[in-house]
Each structure stands twice: as C-alpha cells, then as structure tokens.
Amino acid sequence: MPRGVLRSEYDESGGGKVAGSTIVLSRKNRVLIGVDDTDTPEEGATWTLVHNIARTVANEQHRYLSHTIVQLFPVPFRTKNCVGVVAEFATSNPDDLASKFSELLMQYTLSKETGMAVFTGFSPDRLLEYGWRTKSGQVSPDDARALAGDDLKIWINGRGITGAIAAIPFYTRYDEGLRLCGQS
C-alpha cells in the first residue's frame, strides 16, 4: 500500500462486473499561511523565503500544496515589490505547522515588521473584500488585526500583517492575486 493510506477496500473485478475501490486516508485540515514584510530594500524576497520555509516544514503530517504571490498596493514604506504571499497546506496538526513555520520565519526574516497570519477553515472568502482594499490602496494594520477570529490567528504581529492577511483569500485566485492596482 502507498504511504499515508490507512486501509483500502475493493470489489472483485473481471467477467464484466463493475468494480470499485475505496481508500481511507488520515483527516487533514486546509491551512493557509499568509506572510508579508520579510525583506529589506537591499536583500531578501518574501516569496522565496515563504517557499523555502514551506518546503522545509513539509512532511507526512504537513503537506505543502500551493504558493501564491499577491500584488499589493505600492505603499510608500514598501521594501521592493510590495507583495504578500500565501502558502497552502493540508495538515493533521495546524498548531504544530504554524508553530514550526513561525519559528523559521522569525529566524530568517530580515525585517522587524514581518507579519504572519494563519487561516484554518473551509473558505477565506470573508477576507476577500479586505484583500481587494489592500490591493487598491493603503490599509491600516489595525484594520487587518480586527479580522482575527476563530478561523484567523495572528502569529507574528508586525506591520506586515496587513499584506499577510490580504494575501490569504487569493490562495487559488492566481490571476487576480497578480493583478496590479487599477487593472481589470
């Protein structure tokens, strides 16, 4: 049996019979980790750091599924490209994943303003209006922090929390995530 399969069941096949099978896997939760403000004007890139950390924490328990770069409004204090990043995981232990991710992020960030938010739940659509506002103009970190709740936890609370939370709802909206302000 392949790794990760708990058990399988299958019907007899052959002789014109319709056959089927069932595989049972351990339950996993979708976890979206948003990050922003990890670089300086001279070095680093948030999108690269997030990808490298996601690959490092990925294992049988924490499956790294996707990585989306989200273009944000070019605020005056941006470092380089003004993007937030969201990494998607399937995990059986969301708190362990977030803890390992944030520990590595704090170790390797080049900024004192890093932000990291973790969304667990079926859909982050409640964050989409906020995400679009952050792509269209400057938004206060307090507006971002006000969105925290049972499904959205702030793990690192620097000014980058604005872009970290804004990136989360674009995790499967790749073209929209990359859209520059004012483009349709």
Side-chain angles (χ1 to χ4, degrees), residues 101-157:
F101 198 102
S102 67
E103 184 179 306
L104 288 170
L105 186 58
M106 288 305 295
Q107 182 178 347
Y108 291 105
T109 186
L110 301 173
S111 170
K112 294 185 184 330
E113 294 297 337
T114 299
M116 177 182 143
V118 177
F119 181 89
T120 54
F122 184 72
S123 171
D125 284 350
R126 75 175 183 87
L127 304 175
L128 194 54
E129 184 273 329
Y130 169 81
W132 281 112
R133 277 195 304 129
T134 307
K135 290 172 73 58
S136 312
Q138 188 169 331
V139 178
S140 160
D142 290 335
D143 290 344
R145 293 177 185 114
L147 295 168
D150 290 341
D151 59 351
L152 180 66
K153 304 291 185 212
I154 295 173
W155 278 75
I156 303 174
N157 198 9

Side-chain angles (χ1 to χ4, degrees), residues 17-37:
K17 292 182 191 176
V18 174
S21 61
T22 302
I23 62 170
V24 178
L25 307 169
S26 63
R27 182 173 189 266
K28 303 253 191 239
N29 297 309
R30 178 189 303 125
V31 172
L32 304 172
I33 299 177
V35 177
D36 192 16
D37 205 349

Side-chain angles (χ1 to χ4, degrees), residues 35-171:
V35 177
D36 192 16
D37 205 349
T38 67
D39 52 4
T40 69
E42 295 77 33
E43 61 182 325
T46 298
W47 65 272
T48 303
L49 180 58
V50 170
H51 174 69
N52 291 342
I53 291 172
R55 288 188 57 195
T56 299
V57 300
N59 58 29
E60 213 38 56
Q61 185 179 22
H62 311 304
R63 297 282 184 163
Y64 176 31
L65 302 176
S66 70
H67 176 273
T68 305
I69 299 169
V70 179
Q71 181 67 52
L72 303 170
F73 183 77
V75 294
F77 46 82
R78 72 183 180 275
T79 50
K80 288 185 181 177
N81 299 317
C82 204
V83 299
V85 177
V86 57
E88 177 188 21
F89 290 87
T91 181
S92 55
N93 190 337
D95 287 337
D96 180 63
L97 170 65
S99 178
K100 288 177 178 174
F101 198 102
S102 67
E103 184 179 306
L104 288 170
L105 186 58
M106 288 305 295
Q107 182 178 347
Y108 291 105
T109 186
L110 301 173
S111 170
K112 294 185 184 330
E113 294 297 337
T114 299
M116 177 182 143
V118 177
F119 181 89
T120 54
F122 184 72
S123 171
D125 284 350
R126 75 175 183 87
L127 304 175
L128 194 54
E129 184 273 329
Y130 169 81
W132 281 112
R133 277 195 304 129
T134 307
K135 290 172 73 58
S136 312
Q138 188 169 331
V139 178
S140 160
D142 290 335
D143 290 344
R145 293 177 185 114
L147 295 168
D150 290 341
D151 59 351
L152 180 66
K153 304 291 185 212
I154 295 173
W155 278 75
I156 303 174
N157 198 9
R159 183 178 60 211
I161 198 61
T162 304
I165 292 175
I168 289 172
F170 294 98
Y171 79 104

